[in-house]
C-alpha cells in the first residue's frame, strides 16, 4: 500500500519537544491503527467532509437504483399484502422459503455491527473503532430489511399485532411456547438496543458536524441530533459510562438474537431443524456473514472516500481472521450435523442429511459448502488476506454461501420430510426474487443516506487510538517517521 | 341433526316441506276444483299475469330483479313463495291469495325450524342405474349428498360422482334458456312446438320421428316410451352411452339364452379373477361393488381369510391396486388369457400359450404356471369363486367368464342374474345410418352430448344436420347445442321429479329439493308433452307410475312412505336360475384369436372411462376436476399413459407432448409414465378437451374421442406415437411414489400375520430406535381428558380402503373446501383436507437402489424396480395428535386442543405464519395462499382486482355448508373431524336430555362426512371412551398402529395394517409385501 508521510502532521499537541528515549526494536512495534501519523484535525476534517459539500457522482449512481429498488419493494409488499402469500413460491410442504431464508440472512448480517461495537469494545480490541460506526449502521439497516419478512410472510399481515402481548377484551394472549413469539421479542429488543447504541456513539461526532455547519439548517438539524453536546469533561464522563453500559447490554443480545432465531428451527421436530447445535452454530454463522458484509461494504468505501489511513490493511487483516475463524466454526458445525445424524441412528435424520448432499437440492448444498467452508480457507495465507481483490470476492462469496446455508436448512429440510407422498420441489417466483432485490434497495438507500449525512467513522473514537493519543507510548505518541515507516 | 335421525323422526313428504315447490298445488287453480295442479317451473309461475301483478303491486322495487337469473334474494323469494304455496295448498284455502307471501317463513312450514337442516330421500340416475341418496337441505338449498343407509342394498356409502353432483346443480354454466335456432325463445313456444310435434306424430304414426336417449331405467320413462311407441309405431328409439356398460347384460343374455343381467356377489367370493374388469373403479355400480368387496376383506383376527383377487389388465386401475396377483397384460391379449384360463378351469385341453406369452412379454412357462395356479385356486373354491370381465373386453371374454363361473358352480352363488328388459332401442350407428338415409325428419335428443362423444367415424356434427329438425333437452349449451334447432334446458336430478331403479331393481324416487334454478325441464316432462299426455308434470307422472307399482297398498300412505324412505320396500328384482348355453360359449371360444405382437410401431390404445369426469359429463365440475385421479394423482388433465419401458423406447418422458396416430386419426396429449402399465399399451381417458364447456371445463386436457370409432370404442391396436417436441405442464398431487422403506403403510401376508399377529408392533421398533420417553409437545389438556365425556377418534382399515376417493369429495362438500385450479395444484397448494396417498412398491425381484430415494421426482420413471408394483393407498388427514406438534409452535394460539381430544383450529385467530404446517409430520394442514373462495381460479394473482361474476358468486355461496366457516386467504385449515357434526350431535343429545344428565351422545349415532361416504366402511369414527363404539372395537384389533409412532405425537387417527392373502403357489409371489420387507429388520434404520 502506498503510504504518504507528512512530517508536519506527526506533531501531536503537547509533544512538541525532543525526547531522548531509546527507540523500541522494530519487531516489537505494532502497526498503528491510524496510518501515516494523521493528526486529530486531519481525522475530523477527513471524516466530516464526507457528509459536507456536494455528493460525489458515484453516490448518485448507486443511490438512484437503490431508491428505485426500494420503490419496487414497496410495490411488491403491497401486492403481496393485497393479494396473498401465494404470489411467492411458497408451497406445501415448503411453507417457508425465501421469506424466512432472507429474514435469517439479513438478521445474520446484522450481527457483525453489534459484535464489533459491543464485544470487541469490552475486549478492548481497539481496531474496532475505525469500522464500528459503519458496521452498526449496517446492522440497523439489515435488521430493518430482516424485519420486513416476518411481518409480511404471514397470511394476514394486518393482524401482526396479535404476536405482541397486547391486553385485549378476549383475554387471548400469544402462545408463549412458540419460538416465533420469542423471535418477536429477540429481534425487537436487538433492534432497539442497536439503534440506541449507534445513536449514543454518534452524539460527539454529530456535534462535530454541528460545529462545522455552514448553513443554518445543518446547524439546526445536527444541533438537535447532538442533544446539546459540548464535549465537556462531565459529558465525556457520562458518555463513557453510558457507552459501557450499552455495550454490556448489547453483548448478550449478540448471542441471544440469533440463538432465538435458530430456535425457530430447533424447537420443531423436523429432521434438519431439530438440532441442539443450532444456537452456537447460527451465532458463528451470523458473525461470519456479518463480517463478510462489512468487508463487502467497507472495501469499496475505503477507496472511494480515500480512507486508507483510517481503515488500514491491519483492519482488513483482522476482519479476515475473524472470517476464517467463524467460517471454520461453521464448517465444523456442518460436519457435526452429519456426524450426529449418523450417530443418533435416527432414520429420519440420516435420510435428511443424505438428501441434503445427494438429493434434488444438491446444487444448493454444494454452493453452501464451497462458499462457506472451502473459500474462507484462503485466509490462512497472509498474502491473500492483504489482497483487496481477493478479500472483496471472498466476502461476496461468503454472503452468497450464507444465503445458501439458510436455504439448505429451511427449504431442503422442508421439501422432504416424514411422509414421502407430500414431498415436493420448491421454486421461487419473480415476486420472491424481486422482493429480495427490493430489500437491497432499502438497505442501500439507507446506507447511502447514512454515509452521506452522518460520519461513517467514529471521529472521536479513532482519535483515541492514534499513537499521539496514547500518553503511555514510550515516545509519547509522536515518534520519528522512520519508526512508522516500516509498517 | 344427522342423517340417521331420519329413522326416528319422519321427514315430511315434500309437498308439505321446504324446497319442493314443484310439488305444490297452485293456489288459484286448486280453488277451481280441478284437482291438484302443480306448477312446473318458476318461469311459468312468474309468467302468470296475476302473479306478475302481485309482484309489482307488492314489491315494485324488486320486480325488476326478477329477470336477473339467480341471485340470493331471488332464490329466497322463490323459496318462501313456494313454501307458502305449499302450505296454502294443504290448508285448502287456495281461493284467497295469501298476501303474506313476501315475508319469508311468515307461516312456518310444517317440520321446518329455521337453521335446522332437513333431509330428503332421493336418487341419482347413473348410467342406467341409480344411487339411492339422502340429501341435506339447509333453508331450502341442498348442501350435502349422502347415501341412503336404509336402502336394502346399501350402507350409506356413495361414489365420487354422487358426492360431486351437487356442485353441478349450482353450476352457473348450465343451460338456462329455451332457444330456437340458437336464439332465446319463450318456453311456451317450445311447449307449443312439442305439442304440435306430438299431434303430427299422432297423424302419421311417428313417421320420421326419432328419439336419442341416454340409458335409464326409470319406470316412468319406460311407461311413457311404451305408450308412445304403441301410439306411434313408426317412431324409432335409439340409446347412446359413450361408455357402453350394457355389454354385461348383452353378454349374459347371450350366454344364458334369456334376457338377464349379472349381479356380482363379491361378499360371497373367496377368490375373484378379474379379466380387465375395474369393478372398483370404472364399471357401473361401483359403490356397491366396493361395499361387497370390502366386506369380504374384513379381517378381525387370524381366523378370517380375506378374499383373494387376481387381475389381468393393461392399465393400472383401482381394482389393480387391490389385487394380490396382478398380471400386466395388453388389453387386447386379455381375451386370450381368458381362453387359456377357461381351458384350464373347464379341463377342455391345453392351449398354446406361446403367442400370448410373447404378446405379454412373458416367459411361456412362467405364464403357464401363473394360469395353472390361478385355475387351481379357482377350482379349490367351487361355488365360492368369481370370474368377471370388464366392459372394455369383447363379448368373447364375457362369455368365457360366464363359462368359467358355470364350470365352477358359481352361478346363483357368487353371481346372481336378474331378469332384464329386452332392449329394443338401437344404438348410435343405426341412428347415423337412418340420418344418412334421410329417414329422420325430427330428432329428439334427450340428454347426452353426441357431438362430443359420438364415435369419430360417424362424424356426428355433420350427420346430425341431416335431420329435419333437432330438438334437444340438454344440461349445457355444449358441442351439440349449435347443431340443435330447439334447445331446452334440462333440470338437475335434485330439481326433478322422477323415479328409477337401483342395481338390485329396487324402485327409488327422484325427489326434487328445490324448484329448477334455471327453469329446466325433465326428460319425463318433455316426453309427456310430446305424447300429449294429460299429465305433463313429472310429479304427476311419477305418481301415476307409482300407483301402478305399489300394489294393493293404500296409495297416499305408500307414496308418502316411498318418498320418506327413498325406496319401495320389496320391489327388488328376484334373481333367476340360468343355465349356460354351451353353443354360444363354443362359438365364442372359436372366435378368440391369438393376440398379435405389439411393438412401438404397433401400439395398443385403451380408452377408459375417466375416474373423475366419467365420459365428459362432469367436465364442468371443479371438485371432480381437482380430485386427484386415484391412480395417477393428476388433476385437471388427462394424459397418455405409458409404461416405463414404452416411454424409454419411444424416447419420451413425463410431460412430453406426443401425437397418437391411429389409422388416419390423431390426438395430441402429454405422456405420463404409469407404473404397472402393460408395455406397448397407451391409456387414454375420455372426457377432456371439451371445446364448448363451461368456465371450469373448457380447454382442459385433450380430447381422445377423435381416435374412437364404432369399431374400437374401448380398444384399438395399431397406433403409433410421435413426440411433438413440446412440453406440457401436468399438475400431480403426489410426485413421489415410494415409501422409502418407512413403515407408514404396514403390510403383511396372511400367513405371516397368522404367525406373528403383532407384526405392526415390530415395525414400530424399526421406525425409531431412539428411546423417546415423552412427547416433545405434551398436551396441556391431558389432565382434563378425564373430564371429557367423549374422546373422539378414528380408525382407518387399510384392508378395506380401495382408494376410490369418494371420501375426498365428501369432505370437500361437507367442509366447504375450495378448488384452487391446476396452476395452484402444480405449486403444491391443493386444499383437500383428506387426501389418498398412493405408494408403489417394486414387484418381485425388484431392488431399489440406494440413490433412488435421492433422485429428483422426474427421474423416477427410470427406476426399474417399479415395472410390476404392488400398490397401497392410505387416506391421510389430520391425525388429531394428542401431543400435537402444530399447537406448540403457533405464536397466536390459533390451533389448540380441546378436552375431547380434538386438535381445533380457530380461523379467526390465525395470522398465517404456516409454522404449524412446517412442524406437522403428516403434512395435512392446508394454507389459503389466495382468496380461493372469493376469486375465480383464473384471477387469483389479480388480488383485489379479481372478481367472480355475479352469477357464479351467488351460486357458489349456495353450495356452502352453513355450519362450516368459509376461510379467507392467509389462514391455515385442516380436517376438524367434522366438528360441526360432533357439535350437532351433542346439542341434539342435550336437547333430548333436558334436565337429566344423559348428555352422552349415543354410540355411533353420527359420523364424519368421509366415514359416511365410504362404501367400504374403511373409515370409522366415534367415541373412544365408549367401549362399544365401532372405533373402539377396531382399535383393539392387533393390526392397529399409528403412523410415525416414533415421534410420540399420539395420533387419535390410527390405521389397521393391510394384510394381503396371496397364493403361495403363484410364480409372481414375492416373499411378503415389499414394503414390509423394506422396513423390516434387514433394512430398518438405514433410512
Amino acid at each position: 500500500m502506498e503510504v504518504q508521510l507528512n512530517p508536519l502532521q506527526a506533531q501531536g499537541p503537547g509533544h512538541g519537544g525532543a525526547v531522548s528515549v531509546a527507540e523500541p526494536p522494530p519487531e516489537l512495534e505494532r502497526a498503528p491503527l491510524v496510518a501515516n501519523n494523521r493528526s486529530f484535525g486531519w481525522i475530523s476534517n477527513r471524516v466530516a467532509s464526507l457528509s459536507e459539500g456536494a455528493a460525489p457522482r458515484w453516490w448518485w449512481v448507486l443511490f438512484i437504483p437503490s431508491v428505485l429498488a426500494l420503490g419496487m419493494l414497496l410495490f411488491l409488499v403491497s401486492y403481496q399484502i393485497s393479494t396473498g402469500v401465494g404470489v411467492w413460491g411458497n408451497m406445501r410442504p415448503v411453507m417457508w422459503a425465501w421469506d424466512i431464508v432472507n429474514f435469517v440472512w439479513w438478521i445474520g448480517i446484522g450481527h457483525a455491527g453489534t459484535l464489533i461495537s459491543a464485544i470487541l469494545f469490552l475486549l478492548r480490541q481497539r481496531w474496532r473503532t475505525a469500522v464500528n460506526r459503519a458496521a452498526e449502521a449496517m446492522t440497523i439497516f439489515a435488521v430493518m430489511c430482516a424485519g420486513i419478512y416476518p411481518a409480511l410472510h404471514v397470511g394476514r399481515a394486518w393482524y401482526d399485532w396479535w404476536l405482541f402481548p397486547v391486553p385485549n377484551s378476549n383475554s387471548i394472549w400469544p402462545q408463549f411456547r412458540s419460538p416465533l413469539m420469542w423471535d418477536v421479542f429477540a429481534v425487537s429488543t436487538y433492534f432497539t438496543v442497536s439503534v440506541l447504541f449507534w445513536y449514543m456513539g454518534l452524539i460527539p461526532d454529530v456535534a462535530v458536524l454541528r460545529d462545522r455547519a455552514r448553513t443554518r439548517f445543518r446547524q439546526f438539524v445536527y444541533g438537535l441530533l447532538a442533544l446539546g453536546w459540548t464535549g465537556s469533561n462531565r459529558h465525556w464522563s457520562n458518555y463513557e459510562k453510558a457507552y459501557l453500559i450499552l455495550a454490556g447490554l448489547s453483548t448478550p443480545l449478540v448471542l441471544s438474537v440469533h440463538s432465538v432465531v435458530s430456535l425457530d428451527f430447533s424447537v420443531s421436530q423436523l429432521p434438519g431443524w431439530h438440532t441442539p447445535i443450532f444456537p452456537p452454530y447460527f451465532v458463528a454463522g451470523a458473525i461470519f456473514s456479518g463480517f463478510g458484509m462489512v468487508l463487502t461494504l467497507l472495501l469499496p468505501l475505503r477507496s472511494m472516500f480515500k480512507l486508507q489511513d483510517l481503515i488500514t490493511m491491519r483492519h482488513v487483516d483482522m476482519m479476515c481472521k475473524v472470517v476464517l475463524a467463524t467460517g471454520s466454526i461453521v464448517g465444523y458445525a456442518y460436519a457435526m450435523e452429519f456426524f450426529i445424524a449418523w450417530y443418533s441412528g435416527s432414520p429420519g435424520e440420516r435420510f435428511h442429511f443424505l438428501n441434503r448432499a445427494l438429493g434434488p437440492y444438491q446444487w444448493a448444498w454444494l454452493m453452501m459448502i464451497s462458499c462457506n467452508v472451502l473459500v474462507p480457507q484462503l485466509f490462512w495465507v497472509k498474502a491473500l488476506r492483504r489482497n483487496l481483490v481477493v478479500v472483496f470476492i471472498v466476502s461476496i462469496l461468503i454472503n452468497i454461501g450464507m444465503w445458501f446455508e439458510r436455504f439448505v436448512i429451511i427449504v431442503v429440510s422442508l421439501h422432504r420430510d416424514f411422509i414421502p407422498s407430500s414431498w415436493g420441489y420448491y421454486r421461487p417466483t419473480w415476486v420472491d426474487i424481486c422482493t429480495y432485490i427490493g430489500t437491497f434497495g432499502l438497505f442501500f438507500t439507507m446506507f447511502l443516506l447514512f454515509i452521506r449525512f452522518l460520519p461513517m467513522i467514529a471521529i472521536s473514537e479513532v482519535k483515541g487510538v492514534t499513537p499521539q493519543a496514547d500518553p503511555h507510548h514510550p515516545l509519547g505518541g509522536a515518534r520519528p517517521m522512520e519508526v512508522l515507516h516500516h509498517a | 341433526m344427522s342423517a340417521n335421525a331420519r329413522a326416528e323422526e319422519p321427514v315430511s313428504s315434500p309437498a308439505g316441506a321446504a324446497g319442493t315447490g314443484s310439488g305444490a298445488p297452485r293456489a288459484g287453480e286448486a280453488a277451481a276444483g280441478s284437482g291438484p295442479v302443480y306448477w312446473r317451473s318458476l318461469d311459468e309461475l312468474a309468467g302468470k299475469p296475476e302473479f306478475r301483478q302481485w309482484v309489482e303491486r307488492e314489491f315494485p322495487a324488486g320486480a325488476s330483479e326478477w329477470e336477473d337469473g339467480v341471485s340470493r334474494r331471488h332464490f329466497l323469494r322463490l323459496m318462501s313463495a313456494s313454501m307458502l304455496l305449499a302450505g296454502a295448498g294443504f290448508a285448502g284455502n287456495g281461493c284467497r291469495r295469501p298476501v303474506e307471501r313476501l315475508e319469508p317463513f311468515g307461516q312456518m312450514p310444517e317440520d321446518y325450524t329455521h337453521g335446522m337442516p332437513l333431509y330428503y330421500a332421493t336418487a341419482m340416475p347413473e348410467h342406467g342405474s341409480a344411487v339411492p341418496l339422502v340429501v341435506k337441505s339447509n333453508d331450502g338449498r341442498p348442501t350435502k349428498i349422502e347415501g341412503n343407509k336404509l336402502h336394502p342394498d346399501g350402507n350409506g356409502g356413495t361414489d365420487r360422482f354422487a358426492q360431486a353432483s351437487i356442485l353441478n346443480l349450482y353450476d352457473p354454466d348450465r343451460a338456462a334458456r329455451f332457444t330456437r335456432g340458437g336464439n332465446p325463445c319463450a318456453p311456451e313456444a317450445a311447449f307449443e312446438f312439442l305439442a304440435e310435434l306430438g299431434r303430427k306424430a299422432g297423424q302419421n304414426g311417428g313417421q320420421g320421428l326419432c328419439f336419442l336417449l341416454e340409458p335409464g331405467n326409470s319406470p316412468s320413462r319406460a311407461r311413457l316410451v311404451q305408450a308412445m311407441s304403441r301410439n306411434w309405431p313408426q317412431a324409432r328409439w335409439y340409446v347412446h352411452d359413450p361408455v357402453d356398460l350394457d355389454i354385461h347384460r348383452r353378454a349374459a343374455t347371450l350366454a344364458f339364452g334369456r334376457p338377464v343381467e349379472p349381479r356380482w356377489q363379491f361378499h360371497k367370493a373367496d377368490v375373484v379373477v378379474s379379466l380387465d374388469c375395474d369393478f372398483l373403479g370404472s364399471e357401473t355400480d361401483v359403490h356397491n361393488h366396493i361395499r361387497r368387496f370390502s366386506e369380504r376383506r374384513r379381517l378381525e383376527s387370524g381366523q378370517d381369510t380375506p378374499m383373494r383377487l387376481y387381475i389381468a389388465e393393461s392399465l393400472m386401475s383401482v381394482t389393480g391396486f387391490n389385487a394380490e396377483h396382478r398380471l400386466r397384460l395388453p388389453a387386447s391379449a386379455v381375451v386370450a388369457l381368458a381362453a387359456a384360463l377357461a381351458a384350464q378351469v373347464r379341463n377342455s385341453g391345453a392351449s398354446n400359450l406361446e403367442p400370448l406369452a410373447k404378446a405379454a412379454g412373458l416367459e411361456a412357462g412362467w405364464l403357464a404356471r401363473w394360469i395353472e395356479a390361478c385355475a387351481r385356486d379357482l377350482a379349490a373354491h367351487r361355488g365360492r369363486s368369481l370370474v368377471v370381465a370388464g366392459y372394455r373386453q369383447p363379448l368373447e371374454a364375457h362369455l368365457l367368464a360366464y363359462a368359467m363361473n358355470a364350470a365352477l358352480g358359481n352361478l346363483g352363488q357368487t353371481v346372481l342374474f336378474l331378469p332384464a328388459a329386452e332392449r329394443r332401442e338401437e344404438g348410435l350407428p343405426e341412428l347415423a345410418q337412418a340420418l344418412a338415409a334421410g329417414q329422420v325428419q325430427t330428432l329428439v335428443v334427450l340428454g347426452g352430448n353426441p357431438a362430443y362423444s359420438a364415435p369419430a367415424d360417424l362424424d356426428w356434427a355433420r350427420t346430425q344436420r341431416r335431420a329435419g329438425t333437432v330438438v334437444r333437452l340438454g344440461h349445457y349449451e355444449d358441442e351439440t347445442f349449435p347443431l340443435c334447432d330447439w334447445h331446452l334446458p334440462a333440470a338437475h336430478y335434485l330439481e326433478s321429479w322422477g323415479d328409477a331403479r337401483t342395481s338390485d331393481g329396487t324402485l327409488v324416487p327422484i325427489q326434487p329439493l328445490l324448484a329448477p334454478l334455471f327453469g329446466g325441464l325433465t326428460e319425463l316432462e318433455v316426453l309427456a308433452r310430446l305424447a300429449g299426455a294429460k299429465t305433463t308434470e313429472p310429479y304427476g307422472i311419477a305418481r301415476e307410475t307409482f300407483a301402478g307399482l305399489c300394489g294393493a297398498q293404500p296409495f297416499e300412505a305408500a307414496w308418502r312412505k316411498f318418498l320418506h324412505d327413498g325406496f319401495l320396500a320389496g320391489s327388488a328384482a328376484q334373481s333367476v336360475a340360468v343355465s349356460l348355453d354351451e353353443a354360444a360359449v363354443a362359438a365364442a371360444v372359436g372366435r378368440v384369436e391369438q393376440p398379435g405382437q405389439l411393438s412401438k410401431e404397433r401400439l395398443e390404445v385403451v380408452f377408459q372411462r375417466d375416474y373423475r369426469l366419467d365420459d365428459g359429463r362432469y367436465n364442468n365440475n371443479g371438485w371432480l376436476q381437482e380430485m386427484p385421479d386415484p391412480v395417477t394423482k393428476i388433476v385437471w388433465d388427462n394424459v397418455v399413459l405409458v409404461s416405463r419401458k414404452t416411454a424409454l423406447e419411444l424416447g419420451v418422458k413425463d410431460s412430453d407432448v406426443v401425437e397418437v396416430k391411429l389409422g388416419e386419426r390423431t390426438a395430441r396429449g402429454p405422456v405420463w409414465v404409469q407404473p404397472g402399465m402393460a408395455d406397448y399399451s397407451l391409456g387414454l381417458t375420455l372426457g377432456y378437451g371439451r371445446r364448448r364447456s363451461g368456465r371450469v371445463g373448457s380447454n382442459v386436457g385433450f380430447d381422445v374421442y377423435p381416435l374412437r370409432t364404432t369399431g374400437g370404442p374401448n380398444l384399438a391396436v395399431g397406433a403409433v406415437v410421435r413426440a411433438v417436441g413440446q412440453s406440457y405442464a401436468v399438475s400431480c398431487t403426489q410426485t413421489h411414489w415410494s415409501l422409502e422403506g418407512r413403515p407408514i403403510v404396514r403390510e403383511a401376508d396372511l400367513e405371516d400375520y397368522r404367525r406373528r399377529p403383532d407384526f405392526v408392533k415390530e415395525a414400530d421398533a424399526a421406525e425409531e430406535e431412539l428411546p423417546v420417553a415423552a412427547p416433545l409437545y405434551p398436551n396441556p389438556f391431558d389432565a382434563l381428558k378425564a373430564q371429557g365425556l367423549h374422546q373422539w377418534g378414528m380408525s382407518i382399515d387399510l384392508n378395506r380402503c380401495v382408494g376410490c376417493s369418494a371420501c375426498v369429495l365428501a369432505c370437500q362438500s361437507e367442509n366447504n373446501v375450495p378448488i384452487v385450479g391446476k396452476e395452484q395444484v402444480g405449486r403444491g397448494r391443493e386444499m383437500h383436507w383428506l387426501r389418498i396417498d398412493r405408494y408403489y412398491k417394486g414387484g418381485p425381484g425388484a431392488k431399489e437402489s440406494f440413490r433412488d430415494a435421492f433422485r429428483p421426482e422426474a427421474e423416477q420413471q427410470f427406476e426399474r424396480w417399479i415395472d410390476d408394483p404392488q400398490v397401497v393407498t392410505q387416506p391421510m388427514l389430520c391425525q388429531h395428535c394428542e401431543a400435537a406438534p402444530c399447537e406448540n409452535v403457533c405464536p397466536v394460539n390459533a390451533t389448540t386442543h380441546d378436552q375431547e381430544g380434538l386438535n381445533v383450529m380457530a380461523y379467526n385467530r390465525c395470522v398465517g405464519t404456516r409454522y404449524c404446517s412446517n412442524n406437522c409430520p403428516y403434512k395435512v394442514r392446508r394454507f389459503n395462499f389466495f382468496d380461493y373462495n372469493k376469486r375465480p381460479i383464473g384471477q387469483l394473482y389479480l388480488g383485489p382486482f379479481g372478481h367472480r361474476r355475479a352469477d357464479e358468486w351467488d351460486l357458489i355461496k349456495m353450495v356452502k355448508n352453513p355450519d362450516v366457516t368459509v376461510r379467507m386467504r392467509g389462514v391455515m385449515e385442516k380436517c376438524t373431524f367434522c366438528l360441526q357434526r360432533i357439535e350437532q350431535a351433542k346439542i341434539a343429545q342435550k336437547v333430548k336430555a333436558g334436565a337429566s344428565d344423559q348428555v352422552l351422545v349415543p354410540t355411533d349415532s353420527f359420523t364424519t362426512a368421509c366415514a359416511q361416504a365410504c362404501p367400504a366402511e374403511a373409515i370409522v369414527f366415534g367415541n373412544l371412551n365408549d367401549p362399544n363404539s365401532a372405533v373402539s372395537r377396531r382399535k383393539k384389533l392387533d393390526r392397529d398402529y399409528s403412523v410415525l409412532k416414533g415421534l410420540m405425537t399420539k395420533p387419535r387417527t390410527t390405521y389397521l395394517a393391510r394384510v394381503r392373502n396371496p397364493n403361495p403357489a403363484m410364480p409372481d409371489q414375492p416373499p411378503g409385501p415389499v414394503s414390509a420387507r423394506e422396513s423390516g429388520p434387514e433394512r430398518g434404520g438405514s433410512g
Side-chain angles (χ1 to χ4, degrees), chain B residues 566-904:
Chain B
F567 61 92
L568 178 64
S571 58
Q574 296 299 311
S575 68
V576 291
V578 291
S579 59
L580 191 69
D581 179 354
E582 287 290 346
V585 173
V589 171
R591 283 198 301 274
V592 174
E593 293 167 10
Q594 290 295 357
Q597 183 67 38
L598 299 175
S599 70
K600 73 171 185 174
E601 279 83 35
R602 188 170 179 273
L603 297 160
E604 164 196 277
V605 178
V606 182
F607 299 98
Q608 189 179 11
R609 177 188 180 197
D610 192 54
Y611 285 122
R612 297 171 289 159
L613 306 189
D614 198 337
D615 52 12
R617 68 186 64 190
Y618 294 109
N619 184 282
N620 207 41
N621 186 316
W623 291 352
L624 283 166
Q625 285 275 14
E626 193 151 310
M627 186 193 93
D629 182 286
V631 176
T632 60
K633 297 289 161 194
I634 289 172
V635 298
W636 291 92
D637 263 314
N638 58 340
V639 287
V640 180
L641 295 171
V642 294
S643 74
R644 181 192 64 86
K645 190 176 160 203
T646 316
L648 280 179
E649 283 198 22
L650 293 171
V652 292
K653 57 181 195 308
D654 280 0
S655 306
D656 282 356
V657 178
V658 295
E659 185 177 80
V660 180
K661 194 151 182 271
L662 189 61
E664 291 308 304
R665 306 173 193 283
T666 59
R668 278 183 179 202
V671 152
W672 197 258
V673 174
Q674 173 61 44
M677 279 284 295
D679 293 332
Y680 309 120
S681 196
L682 307 175
L684 300 177
T685 52
L686 308 174
Y688 292 83
R690 291 278 301 272
R691 297 172 297 283
R692 210 181 146 124
S693 178
R695 55 199 91 176
V696 169
S698 291
N699 302 316
V700 171
F702 68 99
D703 187 5
V704 304
Y705 279 107
L707 292 179
R708 226 173 160 235
T709 56
T710 34
N714 297 314
L715 191 59
V717 176
V720 287
V721 160
R722 176 176 71 84
V724 172
Q726 291 167 344
S727 189
Y728 177 87
V730 175
S731 288
C732 179
T733 60
Q734 189 184 344
T735 49
H736 201 90
W737 61 42
S738 166
L739 271 166
E740 302 304 340
R742 300 175 183 189
I744 292 164
V745 176
R746 297 186 186 172
E747 292 180 277
D749 282 351
L750 186 62
E751 285 310 309
D752 197 31
Y753 166 60
R754 284 177 176 155
R755 228 175 16 253
R756 300 181 300 147
D758 57 347
F759 74 97
V760 291
K761 310 288 182 294
E762 292 169 27
D764 277 344
E767 187 182 39
E768 190 71 82
E769 289 138 19
L770 297 174
V772 181
L776 195 55
Y777 311 106
N779 173 9
F781 278 103
D782 267 347
L784 291 171
K785 271 196 288 189
Q787 300 168 18
L789 265 180
H790 315 95
Q791 295 298 327
W792 306 111
M794 182 176 276
S795 174
I796 300 176
D797 189 345
L798 299 179
N799 228 33
R800 282 171 174 260
C801 174
V802 301
C804 73
S805 303
C807 50
V808 175
L809 290 168
C811 175
Q812 184 150 30
S813 175
E814 170 76 17
N815 292 304
N816 299 337
V817 174
I819 58 164
V820 301
K822 175 184 167 184
E823 189 267 346
Q824 290 293 295
V825 177
R827 289 190 178 277
R829 293 173 181 172
E830 70 274 9
M831 297 300 287
H832 294 136
W833 286 4
L834 165 58
R835 64 173 194 260
I836 310 275
D837 287 347
R838 178 266 294 122
Y839 298 102
Y840 299 129
K841 302 310 301 173
K847 188 103 185 91
E848 206 175 332
S849 87
F850 171 71
R851 258 199 73 100
D852 281 339
F854 304 108
R855 286 171 195 260
E857 277 82 3
E859 286 179 35
Q860 286 186 115
Q861 59 168 303
F862 299 110
E863 289 161 342
R864 235 182 158 66
W865 57 270
I866 212 72
D867 279 347
D868 279 297
Q870 290 179 348
V871 189
V872 285
T873 54
Q874 181 179 40
M876 183 52 76
L877 64 167
C878 177
Q879 306 278 299
H880 290 269
C881 312
E882 289 185 22
C886 52
E887 292 169 13
N888 197 56
V889 297
C890 174
V892 292
N893 270 323
T895 185
T896 53
H897 232 79
D898 79 355
Q899 290 95 324
E900 299 193 339
L902 299 179
N903 168 248
V904 289

Side-chain angles (χ1 to χ4, degrees), chain B residues 910-931:
Chain B
C910 178
V911 297
T913 66
R914 308 187 292 287
Y915 198 173
C916 51
S917 172
N918 287 341
N919 209 25
C920 172
Y922 308 96
K923 289 287 173 283
V924 291
R925 291 181 153 262
R926 298 291 184 256
F927 184 66
N928 286 275
F929 281 95
F930 288 108
D931 258 330

Side-chain angles (χ1 to χ4, degrees), chain B residues 535-550:
Chain B
T535 316
T536 55
E537 293 77 12
Y539 176 66
I541 297 168
R543 271 171 69 95
E544 278 174 20
T545 310
F546 183 75
L549 292 170
C550 70

Side-chain angles (χ1 to χ4, degrees), chain A residues 79 81 86 88 90-92 95-96 99 153 155-156 162 173 175 178 264 267-269 416-418 421, chain B residues 742 777 827 829-830 837 853 855 885 887 889-891 893 908 910-911 913-915 919 923 941 969:
Chain A
Y79 179 47
I81 293 180
W88 291 342
N90 299 41
M91 57 180 284
R92 199 193 71 259
M95 284 286 188
W96 287 352
D99 45 354
H153 92 288
R156 305 199 291 174
W162 286 351
W173 290 93
Q175 157 80 282
S178 169
D264 286 351
V267 165
S268 82
Q269 58 177 2
R416 287 182 163 186
D417 68 339
F418 297 97
S421 73
Chain B
R742 300 175 183 189
Y777 311 106
R827 289 190 178 277
R829 293 173 181 172
E830 70 274 9
D837 287 347
R855 286 171 195 260
E887 292 169 13
V889 297
C890 174
N893 270 323
N908 280 349
C910 178
V911 297
T913 66
R914 308 187 292 287
Y915 198 173
N919 209 25
K923 289 287 173 283
Y941 286 91
R969 92 177 137 88

Side-chain angles (χ1 to χ4, degrees), chain A residues 183-254:
Chain A
D183 257 2
V184 170
F185 293 117
V187 174
S188 56
T189 311
Y190 183 67
F191 182 72
T192 313
V193 172
S194 298
V195 170
L196 279 178
F197 200 15
W198 178 67
Y199 183 61
M200 262 287 298
L202 266 172
I203 290 173
D205 293 357
V206 170
V208 171
L209 289 180
R210 175 198 63 195
D211 297 344
R212 292 165 57 100
R214 294 290 178 86
T215 65
R216 173 64 71 185
F217 178 72
R218 284 178 72 89
Q219 188 187 39
F220 177 73
V221 173
Y222 288 120
L224 272 184
L225 291 175
L227 301 179
W229 179 266
T230 60
S232 74
N233 197 12
R234 176 172 297 203
H235 278 179
W236 276 112
S237 168
N238 289 340
Y239 170 86
E240 294 286 358
K241 278 185 219 157
Y243 200 86
L244 190 63
I245 289 169
L246 276 175
L249 277 177
S250 303
T251 302
L253 289 181
V254 175

